Amino acid sequence: MTQQSTVLVLGASRGLGFALAKEWLERGWRVIATVRTPSRELADLDVRFPGSLKIETVDIASAESVRALKSRLTGRQLNVLFINAGIARAIEQSPEVADESDFLDMMLVNAFSPVRAAELLGDLVPAGGTIAIMTSELGSIQNAKGAWQLYSSSKAALNMLMKGYASQHEEERHTLLLVAPGWVRTEMGGSDASLSVEESIPLVVDMVEANRGKPGLRYVDRFNASLPW
Ligand SMILES: NC(=O)c1ccc[n+]([C@@H]2O[C@H](COP(=O)([O-])OP(=O)(O)OC[C@H]3O[C@@H](n4cnc5c(N)ncnc54)[C@H](OP(=O)(O)O)[C@@H]3O)[C@@H](O)[C@H]2O)c1
């Protein structure tokens, strides 16, 4: 019998992270899904997939919290580590009017913390495994048109930090993906977004699968097309 593959999804209480956990469970994977506070949706999934879902509590903005998760997972091997957690604040604002703490919170949660989580948890992923982080189409400096400029800046910073990570961890032979899921109707994306969760996430999972065993860093959309940095 082939061994069940395992994915850890950080930030899976709702929205795209929840959908990633659900999609991988439906594909027969073992899923470790993290929340900050209990999630009714995930608890329901636990009933649907007994034994395949493990729910953990983690705040990625806290190094201590991520380290505690690491120690609880000692001995586990992850085929995929997917860091999804993110926030959007002050989306219509520019630096002149925005609350500084909104920008700093986004830089902490969207840029610094995901890469720190990759550093802290990366050795649970064997060579040939994948570390994926949810960025955004808005993180592309080349394509930027000024929308959601503070949030976009945090995703551009995430992309830059992952460039650093990739060059420092080349010998680990991981597939490293910065994932742009499209504009999706979640609490963050809002009701005007162009895609449903079901139109985005299965393609994201297909794309992660298509990149399996291909080491190096790519900034890609759900169709597996490379995006300009
Ligand atoms: N929706 C879009 O159109 C879109 C487009 C491009 C990129 N993205 C990116 O996709 C990811 C998911 O977005 P979404 O639309 O699903 O947003 P969402 O519905 O607001 O969900 C955000 C998720 O991140 C978690 N999270 C936030 N801060 C966290 C922290 N400090 N530690 C751990 N978990 C944390 C939330 O947990 P709680 O329930 O505890 O708050 C929630 O599970 C984000 O990185 C976002 O930037 C979204």
Side-chain angles (χ1 to χ4, degrees):
M1 204 177 97
T2 53
Q3 220 195 328
Q4 206 178 7
S5 297
T6 301
V7 57
L8 166 60
V9 183
L10 291 178
S13 59
R14 55 194 169 88
L16 303 184
F18 169 79
L20 286 169
K22 178 164 161 281
E23 183 68 27
W24 262 303
L25 283 167
E26 286 170 349
R27 295 184 188 207
W29 284 48
R30 192 179 290 274
V31 174
I32 305 164
T34 79
V35 298
R36 289 189 293 180
T37 54
S39 155
R40 178 74 259 160
E41 283 174 288
L42 266 184
D44 290 345
L45 266 193
D46 202 13
V47 176
R48 244 183 94 194
F49 297 96
S52 291
L53 175 63
K54 185 168 170 47
I55 301 172
E56 292 280 356
T57 301
V58 177
D59 182 341
I60 68 157
S62 157
E64 196 188 338
S65 175
V66 179
R67 283 199 179 96
L69 173 69
K70 167 86 179 284
S71 67
R72 294 196 295 277
L73 296 181
T74 303
R76 300 290 287 265
Q77 288 211 332
L78 307 173
N79 302 82
V80 176
L81 164 60
F82 201 118
I83 304 165
N84 168 73
I87 56 171
R89 305 259 189 276
I91 54 174
E92 304 291 351
Q93 295 177 356
S94 72
E96 186 186 2
V97 293
D99 190 328
E100 290 158 11
S101 65
D102 284 336
F103 183 64
L104 294 175
D105 286 349
M106 286 191 288
M107 292 303 266
L108 177 64
V109 175
N110 295 350
F112 184 88
S113 300
V115 178
R116 179 174 59 190
E119 291 180 325
L120 291 174
L121 301 172
D123 59 10
L124 298 174
V125 181
T130 299
I131 301 176
I133 303 185
M134 203 65 105
T135 182
S136 170
E137 281 82 353
L138 295 176
S140 168
I141 290 175
Q142 191 176 312
N143 284 346
K145 296 192 172 58
W148 294 37
Q149 64 170 303
L150 301 179
Y151 168 85
S152 300
S153 303
S154 72
K155 293 297 192 178
L158 164 64
N159 292 357
M160 178 61 97
L161 282 165
M162 269 313 274
K163 282 266 187 182
Y165 179 94
S167 67
Q168 287 149 18
H169 294 262
E170 217 175 334
E171 75 289 350
E172 287 159 18
R173 311 281 302 155
H174 289 147
T175 302
L176 301 174
L177 300 172
L178 285 160
V179 179
W183 186 24
V184 190
R185 292 188 289 279
T186 61
E187 220 167 299
M188 182 188 295
S191 55
D192 289 340
S194 46
L195 301 172
S196 66
V197 169
E198 295 71 28
E199 286 170 316
S200 167
I201 288 306
L203 292 178
V204 167
V205 173
D206 288 347
M207 179 277 290
V208 172
E209 279 299 285
N211 281 287
R212 180 161 28 136
K214 297 179 183 163
L217 176 65
R218 296 188 63 210
Y219 175 27
V220 273
D221 69 11
R222 65 192 184 284
F223 302 114
N224 203 16
S226 294
L227 296 173
W229 299 90

